[in-house]
Amino acid sequence: MKITQIDCHVLLDSDYDASATSSSRDDIVVEIHTDEGITGIGETDVNPWIAQACIQAPGTHTMGRGLSEMLIGEDPLQPETLWEKLYVGSAMNGRRGAVIHAIGALDMALHDLRGKALGKPCYELLGGAVRKNITPYASLQPEVSSFDVFRHSMIEWATRAKALGFRAAKLEVTPYGPYAHKGLTTSDSQATKLIGEVRNAVGPDFTLMVDVQYAFPDAETCLRAIRPWVDFDLFFIETPLPSDDLAGYARLASEQSIPIAAGEWLATRFEFLDLMDRGKVRVVQPDVGRVGGFTEAKRVCNLAEQRNLTIVPHLWKSGISIAAAAHLAAATSNCAFIEFLPDELCESSLRRELVSNELQMINGEIVLPKRPGLGVDLNREALARFKRQAESVSSMLPTF
């Protein structure tokens, strides 16, 4: 079997909002085709036009070869070998950042393709299942225009998530900082009040997490804000500091008791080694696409297990990424939850409509998928619609 063609689909939801702290309304989906008619699909969470350029750009020398051209003619049943070829061949331009995120989409598609070719779900080829079910948590970020409305919506969404059968939820509560959602800002005391109100609404037996989306400029500011949160029995606080402030993360780990989670933006196991060993986080959050695909995500999971750290994969895209995270969790013994954007509590039509045969939660759990590969299919009508929207936006941009 040989790879014959790679298609990149740049997608955009018509309701995207550039002021939102959310990447759920754009996407890049790749399809890797073979001479035997089997196709693998993948996606990654990065600006889709940038990822497309990374994948399609021709190489001009041996240190910066094109990703697509390195894959054409290769055997797709060897994704781990191909990952090394892509990483080494693009090293001068890549090694981290967008090129690795683009490799992640390709690697995800290769694993999907291999599973389909061999008639096995991806997790069976990642080491085999270590559990029968996967526990998702509902990721909640209401799309509203004021903090007061946000507060009421968050309480309502959390109680709805519990009613839907979720046993855990993450509150996207960003009081201020560079990524305050839609510019909504509030005080530390109001953020604390909101988290307390949600805890009271869902009760003590429901797992709560909080994502502050890099709100705090330094550890001292963060510590002042989050110390009262110890009363809310949080499973973790996510990304409180800029990604590169490893000393700050280490200070948070040593000076307060709530577990700190991070890693959603990181690329390759090398960045995660710094986060784990220097940043001292207790919850490690590889995004299957961003980190470099299944090949690199599994390496990160293994490194975390060696350090007795918990894995909770990040995802914020479509049912493709939900499936990818589920397969990773199925083969990872130290994975506690996967992130999940429930249809009923997500305002992105791209998230809701892009795939068919999406994994379903039943009684708070996702049963291990049985179909080969990722086990999801593209909704071609939705794919075409989101492509047209992306094309219409890019056609309006100035040319230089």
Side-chain angles (χ1 to χ4, degrees):
M1 185 183 298
K2 301 295 181 184
I3 296 170
T4 57
Q5 181 177 324
I6 298 170
D7 293 333
C8 293
H9 305 292
V10 173
L11 310 178
L12 187 65
D13 192 324
S14 61
D15 294 329
Y16 83 98
D17 181 351
S19 72
T21 305
S22 173
S23 60
S24 66
R25 295 180 186 263
D26 66 16
D27 201 1
I28 182 165
V29 172
V30 300
E31 293 186 278
I32 298 180
H33 305 281
T34 66
D35 57 357
E36 295 187 16
I38 302 174
T39 297
I41 62 173
E43 71 178 2
T44 193
D45 195 351
V46 68
N47 181 292
W49 287 274
I50 293 175
Q52 180 184 46
C54 291
I55 293 169
Q56 295 182 341
T60 56
H61 51 74
T62 60
M63 300 175 291
R65 301 175 64 195
L67 299 182
S68 287
E69 65 189 28
M70 282 190 277
L71 289 179
I72 299 298
E74 289 286 357
D75 177 3
L77 303 185
Q78 305 296 327
E80 294 84 2
T81 300
L82 292 179
W83 194 95
E84 297 299 331
K85 179 178 182 179
L86 294 173
Y87 183 77
V88 173
S90 65
M92 197 182 94
N93 301 319
R95 296 181 54 253
R96 305 293 186 272
V99 171
I100 297 299
H101 304 333
I103 289 174
L106 296 169
D107 182 83
M108 189 186 298
L110 288 169
H111 280 266
D112 179 45
L113 198 161
R114 179 173 67 174
K116 290 172 178 174
L118 300 179
K120 296 183 177 181
C122 286
Y123 62 80
E124 290 193 15
L125 302 170
L126 292 171
V130 296
R131 54 170 49 86
K132 295 180 179 179
N133 300 293
I134 300 153
T135 305
Y137 70 80
S139 205
L140 308 178
Q141 181 168 262
E143 302 279 342
V144 294
S145 56
S146 74
F147 190 81
D148 188 55
V149 177
F150 180 86
R151 181 173 67 85
H152 289 290
S153 297
M154 184 64 84
I155 296 167
E156 178 188 354
W157 280 27
T159 54
R160 284 181 62 193
K162 184 175 181 179
L164 288 169
F166 284 95
R167 301 171 186 173
K170 183 174 76 180
L171 317 180
E172 307 280 348
V173 180
T174 310
Y176 42 77
Y179 310 114
H181 182 54
K182 294 197 171 186
L184 301 180
T185 59
T186 190
S187 64
D188 292 337
S189 62
Q190 285 296 103
T192 299
K193 180 181 177 182
L194 167 58
I195 298 167
E197 289 174 326
V198 173
R199 170 52 77 198
N200 289 335
V202 299
D205 298 327
F206 190 84
T207 300
L208 276 185
M209 314 154 194
V210 174
D211 182 359
V212 296
Q213 297 174 318
Y214 312 92
F216 306 113
D218 52 60
E220 186 64 35
T221 305
C222 179
L223 287 166
R224 284 197 303 268
I226 70 173
R227 281 199 169 107
W229 299 2
V230 71
D231 296 332
F232 305 137
D233 188 27
L234 299 179
F235 189 77
F236 63 61
I237 297 172
E238 180 175 332
T239 55
L241 300 175
S243 296
D244 297 323
D245 187 5
L246 297 175
Y249 274 100
R251 185 178 172 191
L252 297 183
S254 66
E255 295 187 22
Q256 61 82 50
S257 60
I258 304 171
I260 300 299
E264 62 178 13
W265 285 359
L266 302 191
T268 76
R269 63 193 180 278
F270 306 113
E271 288 195 324
F272 274 95
L273 281 169
D274 280 341
L275 182 67
M276 292 184 283
D277 294 344
R278 295 170 56 196
K280 304 298 182 183
V281 299
R282 288 163 58 186
V283 181
V284 182
Q285 296 181 290
D287 181 292
V288 177
R290 284 181 184 155
V291 73
F294 277 119
T295 297
E296 200 69 351
K298 195 67 175 84
R299 290 166 173 166
V300 170
C301 293
N302 292 340
L303 290 168
E305 183 177 26
Q306 293 167 13
R307 291 158 173 77
N308 295 313
L309 301 176
T310 300
I311 289 287
V312 178
H314 170 271
L315 65 95
W316 198 254
K317 284 298 183 188
S318 76
I320 299 172
S321 286
I322 291 173
H327 284 276
L328 182 68
T332 301
S333 60
N334 53 324
C335 181
F337 298 94
I338 67 166
E339 190 163 15
F340 195 96
L341 280 72
D343 285 356
E344 299 88 345
L345 299 173
C346 179
E347 299 182 17
S348 167
S349 57
L350 193 155
R351 156 68 191 92
R352 295 192 304 268
E353 300 172 16
L354 183 59
V355 304
S356 56
N357 302 312
E358 185 173 319
L359 302 183
Q360 299 296 316
M361 183 186 73
I362 301 173
N363 297 324
E365 301 284 348
I366 296 173
V367 177
L368 296 191
K370 302 299 183 184
R371 298 181 69 211
L374 289 172
V376 297
D377 300 309
L378 292 172
N379 176 342
R380 294 289 169 177
E381 182 278 327
L383 183 78
R385 175 160 33 93
F386 296 129
K387 284 187 70 173
R388 287 194 298 270
Q389 177 63 25
E391 290 165 358
S392 69
V393 170
S394 60
S395 67
M396 293 186 292
L397 296 177
T399 57
F400 300 95

